[in-house]
Amino acid sequence: MGMLDGKVAFITGAASGIGKGTALRFAAEGARVGLADMMDEEGQKVRGEIERKGGRAIYVNCDVSNPEQVRRAVDRTAETFGRLDIVFANAGINGVWTPIEELKPEEWDKTLDTNLKSTFLTVKYAIPHLRRAGGGSVVITSSINGNRKFSNPGATAYSTSKAGQVAFMKMAALELSRYQIRVNAVCPGAIHTNIDERTQKRDTEKVEIKVELPEGKPGVNEGQGEPIDVADTVLFLASDMSRHVSGVELYVDGGSSLML
């Protein structure tokens, strides 16, 4: 018996990194999975990997900042598998890191739309399906940035979007509890994914503040983690093991951000 037998999950940003790792973990525990992303080739590979191992999954191309595309992706998952129990709002970007006075309004909008607006859209369109299922679990990927760490120079838009996700999570947890829907967030630290490769940094040295820390890197495994470390945490929050946990952000960073 898997921890998610009989459950249906919808995951955004499912083609790589934390989303991919969580999709594979969910499927291994018995969930049927709807995968949403814009990287079609990678997304189809994740679907194929799940099916080769005996699981069931669909892949849907979805721009998570587009309301109609998000609605269609959520609806298709529920229609294909007959229900929806788990939502992992994971899609996100680092965006542009630059001094505030140099950050372009459209760069701010892209980061906030991809990270924060998409979280709202994903949860909004999932609620009717979760209510029909009698309840469920929503997990949001936030970050240590904007919640426990504020020292990355130029990361204003990113950190703001991540702080907003935690505030949204807490509001949603209280509002949706009447429907037996739990809402929580994970706040990863340094996880080995390719998201940093897509970060555009511009003139961040102008606003960098030099801070000296004691020798050595704090935290379990020096604060370095893998996607599976986050996936296992999300699995806990998605499963009945966390049945009385809602409105909580869990830091997945080995404790390293306590000193940053």
Side-chain angles (χ1 to χ4, degrees), residues 2-5 9-36 42-58 88 90 227-232 234-235:
M3 292 174 66
L4 302 180
D5 277 351
F10 176 74
I11 301 175
T12 64
S16 64
I18 292 169
K20 174 184 177 180
T22 303
L24 296 174
R25 192 74 177 91
F26 278 10
E29 291 294 336
R32 293 160 287 171
V33 187
L35 312 165
E42 293 86 347
Q44 292 290 3
K45 285 181 179 178
V46 177
R47 179 193 61 77
E49 185 172 349
I50 289 172
E51 292 182 344
R52 283 193 299 275
K53 294 178 180 178
R56 293 185 62 194
I58 61 168
F88 185 30
N90 167 72
I228 189 63
D229 298 318
V230 184
D232 281 346
V234 178
L235 174 61

Side-chain angles (χ1 to χ4, degrees), residues 1-132:
M1 292 288 290
M3 292 174 66
L4 302 180
D5 277 351
K7 304 289 188 181
V8 175
F10 176 74
I11 301 175
T12 64
S16 64
I18 292 169
K20 174 184 177 180
T22 303
L24 296 174
R25 192 74 177 91
F26 278 10
E29 291 294 336
R32 293 160 287 171
V33 187
L35 312 165
D37 209 300
M38 294 181 69
M39 299 189 297
D40 294 346
E41 183 177 351
E42 293 86 347
Q44 292 290 3
K45 285 181 179 178
V46 177
R47 179 193 61 77
E49 185 172 349
I50 289 172
E51 292 182 344
R52 283 193 299 275
K53 294 178 180 178
R56 293 185 62 194
I58 61 168
Y59 170 76
V60 184
N61 179 283
C62 177
D63 174 356
V64 291
S65 67
N66 183 297
E68 184 59 24
Q69 290 191 31
V70 175
R71 185 191 64 78
R72 285 201 305 262
V74 173
D75 287 353
R76 184 178 167 195
T77 298
E79 290 164 3
T80 299
F81 298 121
R83 60 185 294 134
L84 183 62
D85 306 279
I86 300 162
V87 174
F88 185 30
N90 167 72
I93 60 171
N94 280 355
V96 177
W97 292 14
T98 193
I100 294 171
E101 62 184 312
E102 296 182 19
L103 184 65
K104 299 174 183 177
E106 59 267 27
E107 293 170 339
W108 169 276
D109 287 346
K110 182 175 177 60
T111 300
L112 271 290
D113 284 354
T114 306
N115 295 354
L116 185 54
K117 179 183 176 183
S118 72
T119 298
F120 157 68
L121 293 174
T122 302
V123 175
K124 170 182 171 63
Y125 291 118
I127 290 171
H129 299 292
L130 295 172
R131 290 182 64 180
R132 278 193 288 273

Side-chain angles (χ1 to χ4, degrees), residues 157-168:
Y158 177 75
S159 294
T160 299
S161 72
K162 293 299 164 179
Q165 285 178 310
V166 169
F168 175 84

